[in-house]
Each structure stands twice: as structure tokens, then as C-alpha cells.
Amino acid sequence: MMNSRPAWLNTMRDGTKVKHLLMTGRAFSLLSLSSMIFFIVLGAAGSLHQQSTSLPIHSMRGFSAAVSSGFFGDMLQMEMPSFHSGLESESFTNKEISTFLIRTLTSINPNDPSGLLSAELPGMQNDSFLIRKGVGTDTNNGPQDHLPITHPPSGAHEDDDLPYATDGPDREETTPQPEQSTQPTPPAPSDKPDTGKSKVAFIYHTHNRESWLPELDKESKDASSTTKNITLVGKRLAEKLEDEGIGAMHSDTDYPSTIKDFNYAYSYKYSKKTVKEAMASTSDLKLFFDLHRDSQKRKYTTIEIDGESYAQVYFVIGNKNPAWKENEAFATKIHNALEKKYPGISRGIWGKTTGNAEYNQSLAPESALIEIGGIENTLEECYRTADALAEVISSIYWEAEKVSGKE
């Protein structure tokens, strides 16, 4: 005789199973959602951490450059009781806070309206960010790129792949060679150190025709020249380094006339080959300087020191170089030494993240792009600055050699 279960009991058991399945599904969904949120947050945190370690705008250097010296000194004093800032205390206004936060989150500077359009109009892009201030630096007037009369073709970028010279059946490959200064090197005094026959500094010019309006014909509206240009300042720097016992090589290659089918958009690709050839010619090279002329007006690029006018300098760091912090450390040494001996001559150190934003600086840690003066400075003012640079660069070099025991 078979036992029969009541229908209501079977229905209850079926309902319990369904309820159990629903609860299991709900728990699984919650677990999946929680895991997804966890990994999204983890990924976002990793991205922010990578930004903070790779770009100066998200770093403490960027913050310290964005706020006043007095406010930053107050911050340090709160964290380190033994530290006493000698600077006058200054408040951090709501406007400054909002400006810093907006620029940190969006890389757009609210103080520069053109930044709102730069993402859509590449020609307006000015992504310079102050890493380290100079005396009286105006953060709204950073270095400006030189724009030639002949503009690069639409869509061209300096970091695109391009042969150094256009190949063809009846074309010869043209390769600019680094040239040493033709000026005789005066013998260094016996009490001064000397690198002897070793060349340790290399000076070159990616935009070699950059000139100054006061040095050209009054009718000229383009501050560029095939003869009277930034290469003269590089030659002067090489000569003065030699006077300080630093063996120097100087390249004054005129790329527009040397490179067949020259394209301004690929200037750094051309100069990179020049640097590599110089490095291949001697293993002694350690210091690399790409000298430029800024495009700012005179009031932003000139300082008077002891009754003499000097062209001010900017150091530009390419943040696409993974090892940019090494270049920044090198530039900082020169910046600090300049500010100590010639207060106000350095406008600071700037980082760039778009465009070329590498500037051949990945080739060597002690490599710097230096903007000397602007379109309204004179050659004589730039010469004075070159002399100051040679003085501090040689001091830094010999001090490093002394520490390493090589002197």
C-alpha cells in the first residue's frame, strides 16, 4: 500500500526550493556587483597612482609650484614643528583651491581661456605646467613654441615615424654631422681642472633658425634667420665651457637646408639623429643641451642684474620620457645654481605632456632643453646668459667629479 503525501506539502517544498534558488542568485549577484565595484575602484586608484608618479601636474612638485611660497612654508611648518618658515604667511584662497583642483582633474587651466579649446584645436594647445618656480615667475606666461612661416602639413606630429632623409633613386642620404667650435680653445690655468681632450658637453639646436627681432631688419616680422640665430648662443656657451675646462662640442646644423624635403614637424627626429651621432663619435659625452629661443615678449624674458640686462631662461622637461625625473633633477641643479648667483635669471622648470614631449631627453639623464630669451631680446643679452650658464654648469660638473673622486 503506497503512502501519498498531501499536495500542500509538495507545494511547500517546491516553494522552499524556489526561494532558496532566489536567495542564492541574489547573493551571487551581490557578490558579483561588489567584486566589480572593487576592481573598478582598484583600477581607478592604480591609474591615479600612475598619474601621480609620472606627471608633475599631479605631484607634490606640481602642487608646490601652484601655491604661494608662504602657504607652502606654512604647510611644512605644521607637519614639521622644528621647521620655521622665514616667509610671510599667506592664505590659500577659494579661487586658488578651485583652480588647482580643476587643473589637477582636467589638465585645463581656468586662468587660461584658450585651454578650453586646446583639446579640439591642436594649434592652440599649450600644456606647459610649472614644476619649479623662478623668482617672480608668472604662471600664466610660460614658454611659447616658435611657429615658423611655413607651417607643417595638417595632421603631422613630431613623433611620427619618418626617414631621416627621403629615399629615392637619385637622392643621396644627407646626415648632419656635429661640428666642434672653430674658435681656438684658450689654455686653462694650471690651478683649474680640465677634461683634457675629452668632450663631455654637447650643444645643439633643434630649431636652429630661431632669432631675435632687434637683430634683424626693421621690416622683418619673422624672428628667424639663416645666419644670426640661436646657434651663435650655443657656440658662445661651448666656448665658455671650454674656458672653464669643460670639453664641449657644438652642432650648428641648419636642418631646413641640410635635410631633403625638410618638414618642420619632424624637427626633433632630425636633431635626435644628430645627438646619436655625437654620442657614437665619443663615449665621453655626458651633458646635452638643446638651446632654443622662446617666443614671449621682452617683458616676460628679461631681467636686470647689477645694471646689466640678461635674457631669462626656461627649462622644459618632456614628460613622455619615462625617466623624466632624472632630467628634471639635472635641470633643478642648474636652476638652483642660477638663482643663487643670478637671482631672477631663471623663469623656472616646465613639464610638457603632449606634442613631442620627449625632446631627446630619454637619450641621457643629464639632458636639458633650455629656452634663452625671447623674440625681443638681443644677442648680447643672450650672450651674457650663456656666460652665466657656463659658469654654473661647470661648477656643478666639477663638484660632481670631486664627489665621485674622479678629479
Side-chain angles (χ1 to χ4, degrees), residues 160-178:
D160 289 344
D161 289 332
L162 182 76
Y164 191 74
T166 304
D167 296 327
D170 54 353
R171 296 176 187 261
E172 295 181 1
E173 184 177 0
T174 305
T175 302
Q177 299 292 332

Side-chain angles (χ1 to χ4, degrees), residues 12 64 83 99 122 137 165 177 185 197 209 213 280 322 326 356 363:
M12 181 179 294
S64 63
F83 173 81
T99 296
T137 301
Q177 299 292 332
T185 303
K197 294 182 179 180
R209 292 189 176 184
L213 293 174
E326 294 180 336
N356 180 275
L363 297 178

Side-chain angles (χ1 to χ4, degrees), residues 301 311-315 338 345-348 370-373 385 389:
T301 63
Q312 292 175 293
V313 301
Y314 253 134
F315 298 90
L338 281 173
I345 199 171
S346 175
R347 298 170 68 194
I370 309 178
E371 302 265 4
I372 300 180
T385 300
L389 279 168

